[in-house]
Structures are given as C-alpha cells and as structure tokens.
Amino acid sequence: MSVRVSEADFDVSAEIAQLTAGQTNIGAVATFTGKVRGEAHGRPLTAMMLEHYPGMTEAELQRIETEAISRFKLTASRIVHRVGTLQPGDNIVLVITCAAHRHDAFQALEFLMDYLKTEAPFWKKETSADGHGTWVDARASDDAALSRWRPKNI
Amino acid sequence: MSVRVSEADFDVSAEIAQLTAGQTNIGAVATFTGKVRGEAHGRPLTAMMLEHYPGMTEAELQRIETEAISRFKLTASRIVHRVGTLQPGDNIVLVITCAAHRHDAFQALEFLMDYLKTEAPFWKKETSADGHGTWVDARASDDAALSRWRPKNI
Amino acid sequence: MIEVQIEARQVTLRYFAWLRERTGVSEERFALPADVVTVRDLMTALQQRGEGFAAAFAQPDAIRAALDHVHVKSHTAIGRAREIGFFPPVTGG
Amino acid sequence: MIEVQIEARQVTLRYFAWLRERTGVSEERFALPADVVTVRDLMTALQQRGEGFAAAFAQPDAIRAALDHVHVKSHTAIGRAREIGFFPPVTGG
C-alpha cells in the first residue's frame, strides 16, 4: 500500500510488477490512468498545471487508501499523482488495486477514484491556445459519484 | 478495437501505449489483468492449462467488444487472452478500455470481464502438487454478475 | 435423391475440455442421422457411440453447444450448420 | 497573561490555486484576532486585508478549508490548529 506525489511520469507495468512481485494470492489487478485531454469545454488546450497542498495531499491519499483497504479485500494498492506542468496526452494519475477476485479490485478502484476526485487537494489550471489560464471548476458529477459510497439517508 | 488470443505474455504499458498513441481525446484508461493464483479451493496449484475454441473464441471476443462499444462511449479497447500452460503469478487475460471520462471506461471494463467470463470459450484445467488435473467449474457468481447488464424482468 | 442427401449430410463435430478427454476426439467429420433435428437429438445419438461418448454425454444439461461458432440452447435445430461444438460451461478470464 | 497569549496566537495560513493568485500569498504567519473562533470568522477577518484578500474571500461559500491538513466545514472552531489552508473545491485525478 503506498501513495506518491511526483513530477515524474509513471510506468503502469513497472508499478504493477512492484505490487505483485512474489505474490501468488493476487488473481485480479485493476488500474486507472487519468490523462490530459487535448480540449476543455470545446477549446483546444495547450497545457495543464497541477498544484497541490504538500503535506495534506499525502495525508489525504493515505487516509483514502486506508479507507479502501478497510472496505474491500485488497492484497495491494497504489496511488501515484503527478504535479507540475503537463501536456495533452500526458498521464495525470494512476491508481492500482490488487485482490484475489475481480469484484473487490473493481469496487476499490472506483472508490479510490471517486474519493481522490473530491477530497485529495489537487487543483488543475488549463492553458488554452491563446495563453489564457483557467482554473478548472469542480464537477457536480464527481460529488454525485461519491454519494454512492455513503450510508443511505434514512 | 482489437482482440487477441496468444500463448505469449503481454505488457500492460505497451498495450496502453498502442491504444493511446496520438490520441488526445482519451482522459481515462482502465485495465484489468487476471492472474493465476497459487492455490485453488485450498490446495496448492502448480500449473494451469488454458484451452480454447479456435475460431469461435475470436468471434465471441469480437462480438463482446462490439457490444461494449455500442453501450458505452469508448475511444478504444483491447482484449488479450492467453492460452497454453501457465504458472502461478502468470498473466491470463488483459482488458483495456479508453474513454473521455472514467465512468464509461469503468462500466465497459466490468461489462467486458463479465461477458468474457461467461461467454468466451476458454476452459481452465488446474494441476495440483500431486500432478492431479481438474477442470475448473463455472462459478454461479459469474452468471449473477452478468445478469446486471440484461434488461430487468417485467 | 433428396432424401439420400439429407441422410448423408456431413458435419464437423468438435469437443473441448473434459468432453474432448472423455470422447478421445477433438474434431471429426460425422454423418448426421436423418432423425437428428436439434442439438439435444445429436447429443442423444452421440451417447450411443461407445463407452467414451456415453461418459461424455451422460449429463447433457451440463454441456454447452455452438452452431458455427455461435452459442445455442440444446433445443435449437441444427439446420444447415456445418460445425457443431460441444464443451462445458466456459471458465476463462 | 493568559488573555494576552490567546490574542497573540500565531498560526500558519496557506492559500492555493486562485486564492493564492488573488491574495498574492502562498504561505504566511498570522496573528489570530481574539474574536476569531471559527474558520468562517477567519475568512471574514481576512476579507479586510485589502483588495487582493477582499477579492479572494468575496464568496466564502466557494472556499474550502483544512485545519492541520484535515478538511473541515467553515463553521468549525479553529481551536488549537497550527495551520489553516484555504482553497477552491479540489479538481485532481
């Protein structure tokens, strides 16, 4: 179980290999890679800057990962999130979940992404072709996605 | 969009790179890797043999992938399934889904795995430490997983 | 002349996993008997082909079939299919 | 003596994304006014620190806060927290 904030890119195969090396109780490995798209709200995007809250970011990611481990039968997991200036096509985030069975791996993967999107302190600023920078607005759909993991209202 | 049946192993990063090269409309890449576990039903497992139905396998995988593309907003997808003799820890299957947004990638990934598990003509034979070979039984839980993608009974 | 052609129609049969092991056959050409209409009829006919086939087809409900690479139910008519595959429920992935 | 200590308590304030840009500050030491109890009280006090801070904190409902790296609601009492972070709703992942 580990989290990492980094300017450097990641390699999905290498990260999986680290998590699964020598393990023979892992039957399911699920990954999610988030990438910078080439347009935002119909405008071409030339760069994306990712800012975070050093100290709090690592604490939040650890907390989210610990919560996932308590809810799902995970053998291993990893969160890697990049910061700094990225280009369209670049990787932003990697989440990996390893479990004996696929259902736990899938559920934990979606849980981790839903929490990461709404609670980990990262902020994106998009630069369009004319050099104009815009802070990305939070999406209501991300808050909605999170609500499914919470106890139902009585 | 592609499917492949192969005795050779696969590399997750290389397969993702092929699917995403030059694309800037992909914001989400989800993968599932199925692996051979070191025990089955409480007994240590020394090898797993995977048999398939050449011709029908490729046709079924194509059909399943086409169905996923019709249901979800996918930019690209890939299914790779190994056959032959595998050891604990070896990769069995890889499914990759690429989409603009993560929800489509996750839904399509689970859909593809649920259909692959119940409709693609592969059969596993497990060899235990004493050399005894056992054909794996189909799991009722896999049939149950499939039912969620079907229209509800009226 | 037409009846003779129907009686003699040759199909390819393929067997997988424990069906292949029990029959001792992976693939064969087979002359469809005239009274065989459905996949289930064919399973019943194959049961009569000796010990291996009797063991393989002893529990027809545990067997799945495909006509020309498409999954079918056992009550499906074989029709003009050229290849019939028999196998246990699938266990890949 | 105790009252003097409360009035003078120094905390670290941190600002992110457009809050950092509008205030022109990423991190500072700040003496908590004695009448500031909750995070929202602090936002109101910070609004009075000139044009940049007024613009940054003009819509307090659009701002999130953390006490010592833990997300809190704006009605939360600051208590003994040593670091208060202000930022927009997060947009990572």
Side-chain angles (χ1 to χ4, degrees), chain C residues 13-75:
Chain C
L13 301 184
R14 296 177 76 174
Y15 309 92
F16 296 92
W18 50 258
L19 278 133
R20 174 180 52 72
E21 291 182 341
R22 290 182 195 173
T23 60
V25 179
S26 62
E27 181 171 343
E28 63 175 336
R29 294 292 287 168
F30 182 77
L32 270 188
D35 61 345
V36 164
V37 176
T38 68
V39 170
R40 185 60 172 262
D41 295 340
L42 177 54
M43 289 201 255
T44 303
L46 292 170
Q47 276 178 10
Q48 318 306 320
R49 294 174 72 205
E51 211 174 303
F53 277 84
F57 288 93
Q59 293 190 286
D61 289 342
I63 298 171
R64 302 289 175 268
L67 295 182
D68 291 338
H69 298 171
V70 175
H71 287 290
V72 294
K73 301 283 187 190
S74 62
H75 58 71

Side-chain angles (χ1 to χ4, degrees), chain B residues 51 53 119 122-125, chain C residues 20-21 71 83 88 91 93:
Chain B
E51 181 172 338
Y53 188 158
E119 306 205 341
F122 293 97
W123 301 275
K124 291 182 183 132
K125 188 176 193 177
Chain C
R20 174 180 52 72
E21 291 182 341
H71 287 290
E83 179 174 311
T91 57

Side-chain angles (χ1 to χ4, degrees), chain A residues 5-43:
Chain A
V5 178
S6 159
E7 292 200 13
D9 196 8
F10 48 78
D11 178 81
V12 181
S13 294
E15 301 287 340
I16 292 176
Q18 282 182 28
L19 287 182
T20 57
Q23 302 271 5
T24 57
N25 55 344
I26 294 174
V29 179
T31 77
F32 176 82
T33 305
K35 296 170 77 72
V36 182
R37 288 193 295 143
E39 72 162 45
H41 317 293
R43 295 194 314 271

Side-chain angles (χ1 to χ4, degrees), chain D residues 41-89:
Chain D
D41 294 341
L42 177 55
M43 289 201 253
T44 305
L46 292 170
Q47 275 178 10
Q48 318 306 320
R49 294 174 72 204
E51 212 174 302
F53 278 83
F57 288 93
Q59 292 189 289
D61 289 343
I63 298 172
R64 301 289 175 266
L67 295 182
D68 291 338
H69 297 171
V70 176
H71 287 290
V72 294
K73 302 283 188 190
S74 63
H75 58 71
T76 306
I78 293 168
R80 303 309 298 167
R82 289 173 301 175
E83 180 175 311
I84 301 132
F86 291 106
F87 41 82

Side-chain angles (χ1 to χ4, degrees), chain A residues 62-112:
Chain A
Q62 284 283 7
R63 189 186 62 75
I64 294 166
E65 198 179 49
T66 301
E67 177 73 17
I69 293 162
S70 78
R71 287 189 179 221
F72 308 102
K73 285 181 185 157
L74 291 184
T75 313
S77 66
R78 178 159 294 181
I79 302 172
V80 183
H81 204 300
R82 297 180 71 190
V83 292
T85 301
L86 304 175
Q87 316 298 326
D90 281 355
N91 292 327
I92 301 171
V93 62
L94 172 66
V95 177
I96 305 177
T97 55
C98 303
H101 303 289
R102 75 184 187 283
H103 185 71
D104 285 305
F106 285 141
Q107 289 281 101
L109 186 65
E110 293 201 41
F111 176 91
L112 285 167

